[in-house]
Amino acid sequence: MGSRAEIIGRIIETPECVAEGAEFLAAAEPRFAAALRMTGPLPLRRRSEGFEQLLAAIVSQQVSVAAADSIWGRIRTAGLNDPWMIGKADDSELRAVGLSRQKVRYARALAGARIDYDGLRDLPDEDVISILTSVQGIGRWTAEIYLMFSLGRADAFAAGDLALREAARILFETDDRPNDPQLRAMAEAWTPWRAVAARLLWAYYRVIKEREGIR
């Protein structure tokens, strides 16, 4: 069995880690170098680990950022950002803070999953994805976002993200927006810093959309 570093790869912990990855990508791909000149330094975007982050991801599914923030605020005010409290609450209490019936089921599934969040830190990416996606309401995109920003995995990549796919289409001037498998294939060349490539593509997408007058 390999060492922990061999199993989980590089961990992004500081802005300097992101800058190192950006420098690698800019040297490897001229289009990334050009995008980086447009975006400037990339954000760290690290988040906390655990139940709250995944519950927040469930809350944000298929709603606007403003709506998700409002619902999340009500959840925290009610103290329902804890698995024990979710289990104790009845459906009417969960619905009262803004959760749909479907998301009530998802929140209960996550609360009852008994995930060893500390243990996830030492598992390979695909094992983490397998554990998280076994919970109703958590798909691969959510699991990969958790890998990238909660666990800091430098080579994780959420290829199903629509903004990433559109940014790649624009930056690499492809005829069509790459689908998930196509973007994963493109991203192989960005190893071992695919999570930084994602940060760069997201930042580039924001710059392009602002130039087009879209907010």
Side-chain angles (χ1 to χ4, degrees):
M1 181 178 293
S3 67
R4 182 176 184 271
E6 290 172 331
I7 291 170
I8 68 172
R10 182 73 178 268
I11 300 298
I12 293 175
E13 298 177 304
T14 66
E16 288 72 28
C17 297
V18 178
E20 181 184 344
E23 183 179 357
F24 170 90
L25 293 166
E29 171 52 65
R31 292 177 194 260
F32 277 143
L36 193 60
R37 287 192 292 271
M38 295 170 62
T39 65
L42 302 174
L44 177 60
R45 295 185 68 167
R46 279 301 302 267
R47 301 173 182 171
S48 59
E49 300 173 32
F51 174 83
E52 265 201 38
Q53 284 300 318
L54 290 171
L55 180 61
I58 288 171
V59 167
S60 68
Q61 291 172 5
Q62 299 180 323
V63 298
S64 69
V65 173
D69 288 346
S70 176
I71 294 167
W72 186 247
R74 294 199 294 273
I75 286 172
R76 298 199 72 174
T77 298
L80 295 171
N81 54 329
D82 174 270
W84 186 82
M85 291 298 292
I86 291 284
K88 182 180 175 184
D90 60 33
D91 284 5
S92 63
E93 291 176 276
L94 297 175
R95 295 275 286 142
V97 296
L99 293 179
S100 66
R101 288 185 175 84
Q102 183 181 58
K103 288 182 181 179
V104 167
R105 293 197 302 273
Y106 292 169
R108 291 198 186 284
L110 178 62
R114 302 186 181 219
I115 295 170
D116 177 7
Y117 291 103
D118 290 344
L120 295 180
R121 297 173 191 160
D122 297 320
L123 296 178
D125 289 3
E126 287 300 325
D127 288 1
V128 174
I129 290 169
S130 178
I131 289 169
L132 295 184
T133 57
S134 70
V135 180
Q136 185 183 25
I138 297 179
R140 188 177 181 95
W141 179 88
T142 300
E144 288 173 332
I145 292 295
Y146 188 87
L147 278 169
M148 293 168 66
F149 299 124
S150 291
L151 297 181
R153 301 292 173 89
D155 207 32
F157 189 76
D161 187 89
L162 185 60
L164 286 185
R165 290 162 54 194
E166 179 64 8
R169 181 191 69 79
I170 298 168
L171 183 61
F172 290 93
E173 300 179 291
T174 61
D175 291 335
D176 299 306
R177 182 187 297 153
N179 59 27
D180 185 317
Q182 289 167 338
L183 186 54
R184 287 188 194 280
M186 289 175 65
E188 288 294 329
W190 310 334
T191 295
W193 291 105
R194 284 179 287 190
V196 176
R199 286 168 170 83
L200 179 49
L201 286 169
W202 275 315
Y204 172 74
Y205 183 76
R206 283 194 297 273
V207 169
I208 292 298
K209 291 306 171 185
E210 286 173 3
R211 286 187 174 186
E212 293 177 356
I214 300 172
R215 293 293 186 268

Short mmCIF file of all heavy atoms in Angstrom, two decimals, residues 95-159:
data_model
loop_
_atom_site.label_atom_id
_atom_site.label_comp_id
_atom_site.label_asym_id
_atom_site.label_seq_id
_atom_site.Cartn_x
_atom_site.Cartn_y
_atom_site.Cartn_z
N ARG A 95 -40.14 21.29 6.50
CA ARG A 95 -40.80 22.00 5.42
C ARG A 95 -40.93 23.48 5.75
O ARG A 95 -40.86 24.34 4.87
CB ARG A 95 -42.19 21.40 5.18
CG ARG A 95 -42.19 19.97 4.69
CD ARG A 95 -42.03 19.86 3.19
NE ARG A 95 -43.26 20.24 2.51
CZ ARG A 95 -43.31 20.92 1.38
NH1 ARG A 95 -42.19 21.32 0.80
NH2 ARG A 95 -44.45 21.21 0.80
N ALA A 96 -41.08 23.81 7.02
CA ALA A 96 -41.28 25.20 7.43
C ALA A 96 -40.05 26.07 7.17
O ALA A 96 -40.18 27.28 6.98
CB ALA A 96 -41.66 25.26 8.92
N VAL A 97 -38.86 25.46 7.15
CA VAL A 97 -37.65 26.25 6.88
C VAL A 97 -37.36 26.35 5.39
O VAL A 97 -36.38 26.98 4.98
CB VAL A 97 -36.42 25.68 7.63
CG1 VAL A 97 -36.61 25.78 9.13
CG2 VAL A 97 -36.12 24.24 7.20
N GLY A 98 -38.20 25.71 4.57
CA GLY A 98 -38.06 25.88 3.13
C GLY A 98 -37.65 24.66 2.34
O GLY A 98 -37.46 24.75 1.12
N LEU A 99 -37.51 23.52 3.00
CA LEU A 99 -37.12 22.31 2.28
C LEU A 99 -38.34 21.70 1.57
O LEU A 99 -39.41 21.58 2.16
CB LEU A 99 -36.53 21.27 3.24
CG LEU A 99 -35.19 21.62 3.89
CD1 LEU A 99 -34.75 20.50 4.83
CD2 LEU A 99 -34.11 21.87 2.84
N SER A 100 -38.14 21.31 0.33
CA SER A 100 -39.19 20.60 -0.39
C SER A 100 -39.34 19.20 0.20
O SER A 100 -38.49 18.73 0.97
CB SER A 100 -38.83 20.50 -1.87
OG SER A 100 -37.68 19.68 -2.04
N ARG A 101 -40.41 18.51 -0.18
CA ARG A 101 -40.59 17.14 0.31
C ARG A 101 -39.40 16.26 -0.10
O ARG A 101 -38.94 15.42 0.68
CB ARG A 101 -41.90 16.55 -0.23
CG ARG A 101 -43.14 17.15 0.40
CD ARG A 101 -44.41 16.45 -0.08
NE ARG A 101 -45.58 16.96 0.61
CZ ARG A 101 -46.24 18.04 0.26
NH1 ARG A 101 -45.85 18.76 -0.79
NH2 ARG A 101 -47.30 18.44 0.95
N GLN A 102 -38.94 16.44 -1.32
CA GLN A 102 -37.81 15.66 -1.80
C GLN A 102 -36.56 15.95 -0.97
O GLN A 102 -35.83 15.04 -0.57
CB GLN A 102 -37.54 15.96 -3.27
CG GLN A 102 -36.42 15.14 -3.88
CD GLN A 102 -36.19 15.51 -5.33
OE1 GLN A 102 -35.92 16.66 -5.66
NE2 GLN A 102 -36.33 14.53 -6.22
N LYS A 103 -36.32 17.23 -0.69
CA LYS A 103 -35.12 17.59 0.08
C LYS A 103 -35.23 17.20 1.54
O LYS A 103 -34.21 16.96 2.19
CB LYS A 103 -34.82 19.08 -0.10
CG LYS A 103 -34.30 19.39 -1.49
CD LYS A 103 -33.94 20.85 -1.67
CE LYS A 103 -33.44 21.09 -3.09
NZ LYS A 103 -33.09 22.52 -3.30
N VAL A 104 -36.44 17.10 2.05
CA VAL A 104 -36.62 16.54 3.40
C VAL A 104 -36.11 15.10 3.41
O VAL A 104 -35.40 14.68 4.33
CB VAL A 104 -38.10 16.61 3.84
CG1 VAL A 104 -38.34 15.75 5.08
CG2 VAL A 104 -38.51 18.05 4.11
N ARG A 105 -36.47 14.32 2.38
CA ARG A 105 -35.99 12.94 2.29
C ARG A 105 -34.47 12.90 2.20
O ARG A 105 -33.81 12.07 2.84
CB ARG A 105 -36.61 12.23 1.09
CG ARG A 105 -38.11 11.99 1.19
CD ARG A 105 -38.58 10.94 0.18
NE ARG A 105 -38.25 11.29 -1.19
CZ ARG A 105 -39.02 12.04 -1.97
NH1 ARG A 105 -40.16 12.54 -1.50
NH2 ARG A 105 -38.66 12.31 -3.22
N TYR A 106 -33.92 13.79 1.39
CA TYR A 106 -32.47 13.82 1.21
C TYR A 106 -31.75 14.20 2.52
O TYR A 106 -30.73 13.61 2.87
CB TYR A 106 -32.08 14.82 0.13
CG TYR A 106 -32.51 14.46 -1.28
CD1 TYR A 106 -32.42 15.39 -2.31
CD2 TYR A 106 -33.00 13.19 -1.59
CE1 TYR A 106 -32.80 15.08 -3.61
CE2 TYR A 106 -33.40 12.87 -2.88
CZ TYR A 106 -33.29 13.82 -3.89
OH TYR A 106 -33.67 13.51 -5.17
N ALA A 107 -32.30 15.19 3.21
CA ALA A 107 -31.69 15.62 4.47
C ALA A 107 -31.72 14.49 5.50
O ALA A 107 -30.74 14.26 6.23
CB ALA A 107 -32.42 16.85 5.02
N ARG A 108 -32.83 13.77 5.54
CA ARG A 108 -32.92 12.64 6.48
C ARG A 108 -31.96 11.53 6.09
O ARG A 108 -31.35 10.89 6.95
CB ARG A 108 -34.36 12.12 6.52
CG ARG A 108 -35.36 13.07 7.16
CD ARG A 108 -36.62 12.35 7.58
NE ARG A 108 -37.64 13.26 8.07
CZ ARG A 108 -37.63 13.83 9.26
NH1 ARG A 108 -36.61 13.62 10.08
NH2 ARG A 108 -38.62 14.63 9.64
N ALA A 109 -31.82 11.30 4.79
CA ALA A 109 -30.89 10.26 4.33
C ALA A 109 -29.46 10.61 4.73
O ALA A 109 -28.69 9.75 5.20
CB ALA A 109 -30.99 10.08 2.82
N LEU A 110 -29.09 11.88 4.56
CA LEU A 110 -27.74 12.30 4.93
C LEU A 110 -27.54 12.21 6.44
O LEU A 110 -26.50 11.73 6.91
CB LEU A 110 -27.50 13.74 4.45
CG LEU A 110 -26.15 14.34 4.79
CD1 LEU A 110 -25.02 13.55 4.14
CD2 LEU A 110 -26.09 15.81 4.37
N ALA A 111 -28.55 12.63 7.19
CA ALA A 111 -28.44 12.58 8.66
C ALA A 111 -28.29 11.15 9.16
O ALA A 111 -27.61 10.90 10.16
CB ALA A 111 -29.67 13.25 9.29
N GLY A 112 -28.92 10.21 8.47
CA GLY A 112 -28.86 8.82 8.91
C GLY A 112 -27.72 8.02 8.33
O GLY A 112 -27.55 6.84 8.65
N ALA A 113 -26.92 8.65 7.47
CA ALA A 113 -25.87 7.91 6.76
C ALA A 113 -24.67 7.57 7.64
O ALA A 113 -23.91 6.65 7.34
CB ALA A 113 -25.40 8.72 5.55
N ARG A 114 -24.48 8.30 8.71
CA ARG A 114 -23.38 8.05 9.66
C ARG A 114 -22.03 8.00 8.94
O ARG A 114 -21.23 7.08 9.15
CB ARG A 114 -23.61 6.77 10.45
CG ARG A 114 -24.92 6.80 11.22
CD ARG A 114 -25.09 5.60 12.11
NE ARG A 114 -26.35 5.68 12.81
CZ ARG A 114 -26.51 5.30 14.09
NH1 ARG A 114 -25.49 4.86 14.76
NH2 ARG A 114 -27.70 5.39 14.65
N ILE A 115 -21.80 8.98 8.11
CA ILE A 115 -20.53 9.06 7.38
C ILE A 115 -19.40 9.42 8.35
O ILE A 115 -19.55 10.30 9.20
CB ILE A 115 -20.61 10.12 6.27
CG1 ILE A 115 -21.64 9.69 5.21
CG2 ILE A 115 -19.25 10.36 5.62
CD1 ILE A 115 -21.97 10.78 4.22
N ASP A 116 -18.28 8.73 8.23
CA ASP A 116 -17.08 9.06 9.00
C ASP A 116 -16.34 10.16 8.24
O ASP A 116 -15.48 9.89 7.40
CB ASP A 116 -16.21 7.80 9.15
CG ASP A 116 -14.90 8.09 9.88
OD1 ASP A 116 -14.71 9.22 10.39
OD2 ASP A 116 -14.05 7.18 9.91
N TYR A 117 -16.69 11.40 8.53
CA TYR A 117 -16.13 12.51 7.77
C TYR A 117 -14.62 12.63 7.96
O TYR A 117 -13.89 12.93 7.01
CB TYR A 117 -16.82 13.81 8.15
CG TYR A 117 -18.25 13.86 7.68
CD1 TYR A 117 -19.31 13.64 8.57
CD2 TYR A 117 -18.56 14.08 6.35
CE1 TYR A 117 -20.64 13.67 8.14
CE2 TYR A 117 -19.88 14.10 5.90
CZ TYR A 117 -20.90 13.89 6.80
OH TYR A 117 -22.21 13.90 6.37
N ASP A 118 -14.13 12.37 9.17
CA ASP A 118 -12.68 12.41 9.40
C ASP A 118 -11.98 11.33 8.57
O ASP A 118 -10.90 11.55 8.02
CB ASP A 118 -12.35 12.21 10.88
CG ASP A 118 -12.75 13.42 11.72
OD1 ASP A 118 -12.99 14.51 11.15
OD2 ASP A 118 -12.82 13.27 12.96
N GLY A 119 -12.62 10.17 8.47
CA GLY A 119 -12.04 9.07 7.73
C GLY A 119 -11.93 9.33 6.24
O GLY A 119 -11.06 8.76 5.56
N LEU A 120 -12.80 10.19 5.71
CA LEU A 120 -12.75 10.50 4.28
C LEU A 120 -11.42 11.13 3.88
O LEU A 120 -10.99 11.00 2.73
CB LEU A 120 -13.89 11.46 3.89
CG LEU A 120 -15.32 10.95 4.04
CD1 LEU A 120 -16.30 12.03 3.61
CD2 LEU A 120 -15.55 9.68 3.24
N ARG A 121 -10.77 11.81 4.81
CA ARG A 121 -9.52 12.51 4.50
C ARG A 121 -8.44 11.56 3.99
O ARG A 121 -7.56 11.99 3.25
CB ARG A 121 -8.99 13.22 5.75
CG ARG A 121 -9.90 14.30 6.28
CD ARG A 121 -9.38 14.82 7.60
NE ARG A 121 -10.35 15.67 8.28
CZ ARG A 121 -10.31 15.94 9.58
NH1 ARG A 121 -9.35 15.42 10.34
NH2 ARG A 121 -11.23 16.72 10.11
N ASP A 122 -8.49 10.31 4.39
CA ASP A 122 -7.43 9.37 4.05
C ASP A 122 -7.80 8.42 2.91
O ASP A 122 -7.02 7.51 2.60
CB ASP A 122 -7.05 8.54 5.29
CG ASP A 122 -6.50 9.40 6.41
OD1 ASP A 122 -5.72 10.33 6.10
OD2 ASP A 122 -6.84 9.16 7.58
N LEU A 123 -8.96 8.61 2.31
CA LEU A 123 -9.41 7.70 1.26
C LEU A 123 -9.12 8.27 -0.13
O LEU A 123 -9.14 9.48 -0.33
CB LEU A 123 -10.91 7.46 1.39
CG LEU A 123 -11.38 6.74 2.66
CD1 LEU A 123 -12.90 6.62 2.65
CD2 LEU A 123 -10.73 5.38 2.79
N PRO A 124 -8.88 7.40 -1.12
CA PRO A 124 -8.73 7.86 -2.50
C PRO A 124 -10.00 8.55 -2.98
O PRO A 124 -11.10 8.29 -2.47
CB PRO A 124 -8.48 6.56 -3.29
CG PRO A 124 -8.04 5.56 -2.29
CD PRO A 124 -8.71 5.94 -0.99
N ASP A 125 -9.86 9.41 -3.97
CA ASP A 125 -10.99 10.19 -4.47
C ASP A 125 -12.19 9.32 -4.82
O ASP A 125 -13.32 9.63 -4.44
CB ASP A 125 -10.58 10.98 -5.72
CG ASP A 125 -9.63 12.13 -5.39
OD1 ASP A 125 -9.26 12.29 -4.22
OD2 ASP A 125 -9.27 12.87 -6.33
N GLU A 126 -11.98 8.24 -5.56
CA GLU A 126 -13.10 7.43 -6.01
C GLU A 126 -13.80 6.74 -4.85
O GLU A 126 -15.02 6.52 -4.90
CB GLU A 126 -12.66 6.40 -7.05
CG GLU A 126 -12.35 7.00 -8.42
CD GLU A 126 -13.56 7.71 -9.04
OE1 GLU A 126 -14.71 7.24 -8.84
OE2 GLU A 126 -13.37 8.73 -9.70
N ASP A 127 -13.08 6.42 -3.79
CA ASP A 127 -13.71 5.84 -2.61
C ASP A 127 -14.60 6.87 -1.91
O ASP A 127 -15.71 6.56 -1.45
CB ASP A 127 -12.66 5.31 -1.63
CG ASP A 127 -11.99 4.05 -2.13
OD1 ASP A 127 -12.33 3.58 -3.24
OD2 ASP A 127 -11.11 3.52 -1.41
N VAL A 128 -14.11 8.10 -1.82
CA VAL A 128 -14.92 9.18 -1.24
C VAL A 128 -16.19 9.38 -2.06
O VAL A 128 -17.29 9.48 -1.51
CB VAL A 128 -14.11 10.50 -1.17
CG1 VAL A 128 -15.01 11.65 -0.70
CG2 VAL A 128 -12.91 10.34 -0.25
N ILE A 129 -16.04 9.42 -3.37
CA ILE A 129 -17.20 9.59 -4.25
C ILE A 129 -18.20 8.46 -4.06
O ILE A 129 -19.41 8.69 -3.99
CB ILE A 129 -16.74 9.70 -5.72
CG1 ILE A 129 -16.00 11.02 -5.95
CG2 ILE A 129 -17.93 9.59 -6.68
CD1 ILE A 129 -15.28 11.11 -7.27
N SER A 130 -17.70 7.24 -3.96
CA SER A 130 -18.58 6.08 -3.78
C SER A 130 -19.38 6.18 -2.48
O SER A 130 -20.58 5.91 -2.45
CB SER A 130 -17.74 4.80 -3.79
OG SER A 130 -18.56 3.67 -3.58
N ILE A 131 -18.71 6.59 -1.40
CA ILE A 131 -19.40 6.72 -0.11
C ILE A 131 -20.45 7.82 -0.16
O ILE A 131 -21.59 7.63 0.27
CB ILE A 131 -18.37 7.00 1.01
CG1 ILE A 131 -17.52 5.73 1.27
CG2 ILE A 131 -19.07 7.45 2.30
CD1 ILE A 131 -16.32 5.98 2.16
N LEU A 132 -20.07 8.96 -0.70
CA LEU A 132 -21.00 10.09 -0.69
C LEU A 132 -22.18 9.86 -1.62
O LEU A 132 -23.33 10.18 -1.27
CB LEU A 132 -20.26 11.38 -1.07
CG LEU A 132 -19.18 11.84 -0.09
CD1 LEU A 132 -18.60 13.18 -0.54
CD2 LEU A 132 -19.70 11.94 1.34
N THR A 133 -21.93 9.30 -2.79
CA THR A 133 -23.04 9.11 -3.74
C THR A 133 -23.94 7.94 -3.37
O THR A 133 -24.99 7.75 -3.99
CB THR A 133 -22.51 8.91 -5.17
OG1 THR A 133 -21.60 7.82 -5.22
CG2 THR A 133 -21.81 10.17 -5.68
N SER A 134 -23.56 7.18 -2.35
CA SER A 134 -24.46 6.13 -1.86
C SER A 134 -25.61 6.72 -1.05
O SER A 134 -26.59 6.04 -0.75
CB SER A 134 -23.69 5.12 -1.00
OG SER A 134 -23.29 5.70 0.23
N VAL A 135 -25.48 8.00 -0.70
CA VAL A 135 -26.53 8.70 0.06
C VAL A 135 -27.53 9.32 -0.92
O VAL A 135 -27.13 10.02 -1.85
CB VAL A 135 -25.92 9.80 0.94
CG1 VAL A 135 -27.02 10.53 1.72
CG2 VAL A 135 -24.89 9.21 1.90
N GLN A 136 -28.80 9.05 -0.71
CA GLN A 136 -29.84 9.61 -1.59
C GLN A 136 -29.74 11.13 -1.61
O GLN A 136 -29.65 11.78 -0.57
CB GLN A 136 -31.22 9.19 -1.09
CG GLN A 136 -32.36 9.62 -2.00
CD GLN A 136 -33.72 9.25 -1.45
OE1 GLN A 136 -33.89 9.10 -0.24
NE2 GLN A 136 -34.69 9.10 -2.32
N GLY A 137 -29.73 11.70 -2.82
CA GLY A 137 -29.67 13.14 -2.96
C GLY A 137 -28.29 13.70 -3.22
O GLY A 137 -28.15 14.89 -3.50
N ILE A 138 -27.26 12.85 -3.14
CA ILE A 138 -25.90 13.30 -3.43
C ILE A 138 -25.42 12.62 -4.70
O ILE A 138 -25.31 11.39 -4.76
CB ILE A 138 -24.94 12.99 -2.26
CG1 ILE A 138 -25.36 13.76 -1.01
CG2 ILE A 138 -23.50 13.34 -2.65
CD1 ILE A 138 -24.50 13.49 0.20
N GLY A 139 -25.15 13.42 -5.72
CA GLY A 139 -24.64 12.90 -6.99
C GLY A 139 -23.14 13.11 -7.10
O GLY A 139 -22.50 13.65 -6.20
N ARG A 140 -22.60 12.71 -8.23
CA ARG A 140 -21.16 12.80 -8.43
C ARG A 140 -20.66 14.25 -8.38
O ARG A 140 -19.60 14.52 -7.82
CB ARG A 140 -20.76 12.14 -9.76
CG ARG A 140 -19.25 12.03 -9.91
CD ARG A 140 -18.82 11.32 -11.16
NE ARG A 140 -17.36 11.26 -11.19
CZ ARG A 140 -16.63 10.24 -10.77
NH1 ARG A 140 -17.22 9.15 -10.30
NH2 ARG A 140 -15.29 10.27 -10.80
N TRP A 141 -21.44 15.18 -8.96
CA TRP A 141 -21.00 16.58 -8.95
C TRP A 141 -20.82 17.06 -7.52
O TRP A 141 -19.79 17.67 -7.18
CB TRP A 141 -22.03 17.45 -9.67
CG TRP A 141 -21.66 18.92 -9.68
CD1 TRP A 141 -20.89 19.57 -10.59
CD2 TRP A 141 -22.06 19.91 -8.71
NE1 TRP A 141 -20.78 20.90 -10.26
CE2 TRP A 141 -21.49 21.13 -9.11
CE3 TRP A 141 -22.85 19.87 -7.56
CZ2 TRP A 141 -21.68 22.32 -8.38
CZ3 TRP A 141 -23.03 21.04 -6.83
CH2 TRP A 141 -22.45 22.24 -7.25
N THR A 142 -21.79 16.81 -6.65
CA THR A 142 -21.70 17.24 -5.26
C THR A 142 -20.50 16.60 -4.57
O THR A 142 -19.77 17.26 -3.82
CB THR A 142 -22.99 16.89 -4.50
OG1 THR A 142 -24.09 17.55 -5.13
CG2 THR A 142 -22.91 17.29 -3.04
N ALA A 143 -20.29 15.31 -4.82
CA ALA A 143 -19.15 14.61 -4.21
C ALA A 143 -17.83 15.19 -4.69
O ALA A 143 -16.88 15.35 -3.90
CB ALA A 143 -19.23 13.12 -4.53
N GLU A 144 -17.73 15.53 -5.97
CA GLU A 144 -16.49 16.09 -6.50
C GLU A 144 -16.25 17.50 -5.98
O GLU A 144 -15.09 17.88 -5.71
CB GLU A 144 -16.51 16.03 -8.02
CG GLU A 144 -16.34 14.62 -8.54
CD GLU A 144 -16.51 14.48 -10.04
OE1 GLU A 144 -17.24 15.28 -10.64
OE2 GLU A 144 -15.91 13.53 -10.60
N ILE A 145 -17.30 18.28 -5.82
CA ILE A 145 -17.16 19.61 -5.22
C ILE A 145 -16.66 19.47 -3.77
O ILE A 145 -15.80 20.24 -3.32
CB ILE A 145 -18.49 20.38 -5.27
CG1 ILE A 145 -18.86 20.72 -6.72
CG2 ILE A 145 -18.43 21.64 -4.41
CD1 ILE A 145 -17.91 21.68 -7.41
N TYR A 146 -17.18 18.49 -3.05
CA TYR A 146 -16.72 18.24 -1.68
C TYR A 146 -15.24 17.88 -1.67
O TYR A 146 -14.48 18.36 -0.83
CB TYR A 146 -17.56 17.13 -1.04
CG TYR A 146 -17.29 16.94 0.44
CD1 TYR A 146 -17.98 17.69 1.38
CD2 TYR A 146 -16.36 16.02 0.88
CE1 TYR A 146 -17.73 17.53 2.75
CE2 TYR A 146 -16.10 15.85 2.24
CZ TYR A 146 -16.79 16.62 3.17
OH TYR A 146 -16.54 16.47 4.51
N LEU A 147 -14.84 17.02 -2.60
CA LEU A 147 -13.42 16.66 -2.71
C LEU A 147 -12.55 17.89 -2.96
O LEU A 147 -11.50 18.08 -2.32
CB LEU A 147 -13.22 15.67 -3.86
CG LEU A 147 -13.48 14.20 -3.60
CD1 LEU A 147 -13.47 13.45 -4.92
CD2 LEU A 147 -12.43 13.62 -2.66
N MET A 148 -12.99 18.75 -3.88
CA MET A 148 -12.19 19.90 -4.27
C MET A 148 -12.06 20.93 -3.16
O MET A 148 -10.96 21.42 -2.89
CB MET A 148 -12.81 20.56 -5.51
CG MET A 148 -12.74 19.71 -6.76
SD MET A 148 -13.78 20.36 -8.10
CE MET A 148 -12.95 21.90 -8.46
N PHE A 149 -13.18 21.26 -2.52
CA PHE A 149 -13.18 22.42 -1.64
C PHE A 149 -13.22 22.09 -0.15
O PHE A 149 -12.71 22.87 0.65
CB PHE A 149 -14.34 23.34 -2.00
CG PHE A 149 -14.23 23.85 -3.42
CD1 PHE A 149 -15.25 23.65 -4.32
CD2 PHE A 149 -13.09 24.49 -3.86
CE1 PHE A 149 -15.15 24.12 -5.63
CE2 PHE A 149 -12.97 24.95 -5.16
CZ PHE A 149 -14.00 24.76 -6.04
N SER A 150 -13.81 20.98 0.25
CA SER A 150 -13.80 20.60 1.67
C SER A 150 -12.56 19.78 2.01
O SER A 150 -11.94 19.98 3.05
CB SER A 150 -15.07 19.84 2.03
OG SER A 150 -16.19 20.70 2.00
N LEU A 151 -12.20 18.84 1.12
CA LEU A 151 -11.02 18.02 1.37
C LEU A 151 -9.76 18.57 0.69
O LEU A 151 -8.67 18.10 0.96
CB LEU A 151 -11.27 16.58 0.91
CG LEU A 151 -12.38 15.84 1.66
CD1 LEU A 151 -12.51 14.41 1.15
CD2 LEU A 151 -12.11 15.83 3.16
N GLY A 152 -9.91 19.54 -0.18
CA GLY A 152 -8.75 20.21 -0.77
C GLY A 152 -7.98 19.37 -1.77
O GLY A 152 -6.79 19.65 -2.00
N ARG A 153 -8.62 18.38 -2.38
CA ARG A 153 -7.90 17.52 -3.31
C ARG A 153 -7.50 18.30 -4.57
O ARG A 153 -8.36 18.82 -5.30
CB ARG A 153 -8.74 16.31 -3.69
CG ARG A 153 -9.16 15.45 -2.49
CD ARG A 153 -7.99 14.74 -1.84
NE ARG A 153 -8.37 14.05 -0.62
CZ ARG A 153 -8.82 12.79 -0.57
NH1 ARG A 153 -8.96 12.09 -1.69
NH2 ARG A 153 -9.14 12.24 0.58
N ALA A 154 -6.22 18.37 -4.83
CA ALA A 154 -5.69 19.22 -5.91
C ALA A 154 -6.03 18.68 -7.29
O ALA A 154 -6.03 19.45 -8.27
CB ALA A 154 -4.18 19.36 -5.77
N ASP A 155 -6.33 17.39 -7.40
CA ASP A 155 -6.55 16.82 -8.73
C ASP A 155 -7.99 16.38 -8.95
O ASP A 155 -8.31 15.75 -9.95
CB ASP A 155 -5.61 15.63 -8.95
CG ASP A 155 -5.29 15.40 -10.43
OD1 ASP A 155 -5.24 16.40 -11.18
OD2 ASP A 155 -5.07 14.24 -10.82
N ALA A 156 -8.89 16.73 -8.02
CA ALA A 156 -10.32 16.44 -8.23
C ALA A 156 -10.87 17.42 -9.26
O ALA A 156 -10.38 18.54 -9.40
CB ALA A 156 -11.07 16.55 -6.92
N PHE A 157 -11.92 16.99 -9.96
CA PHE A 157 -12.44 17.83 -11.04
C PHE A 157 -13.91 17.48 -11.29
O PHE A 157 -14.24 16.32 -11.53
CB PHE A 157 -11.63 17.58 -12.31
CG PHE A 157 -11.92 18.53 -13.44
CD1 PHE A 157 -11.44 19.83 -13.41
CD2 PHE A 157 -12.68 18.13 -14.51
CE1 PHE A 157 -11.70 20.72 -14.45
CE2 PHE A 157 -12.94 18.99 -15.57
CZ PHE A 157 -12.46 20.29 -15.54
N ALA A 158 -14.77 18.50 -11.22
CA ALA A 158 -16.22 18.29 -11.39
C ALA A 158 -16.59 18.51 -12.85
O ALA A 158 -17.13 19.56 -13.23
CB ALA A 158 -17.00 19.22 -10.48
N ALA A 159 -16.32 17.52 -13.69
CA ALA A 159 -16.50 17.68 -15.14
C ALA A 159 -17.96 17.85 -15.55
O ALA A 159 -18.23 18.30 -16.66
CB ALA A 159 -15.90 16.49 -15.87
#
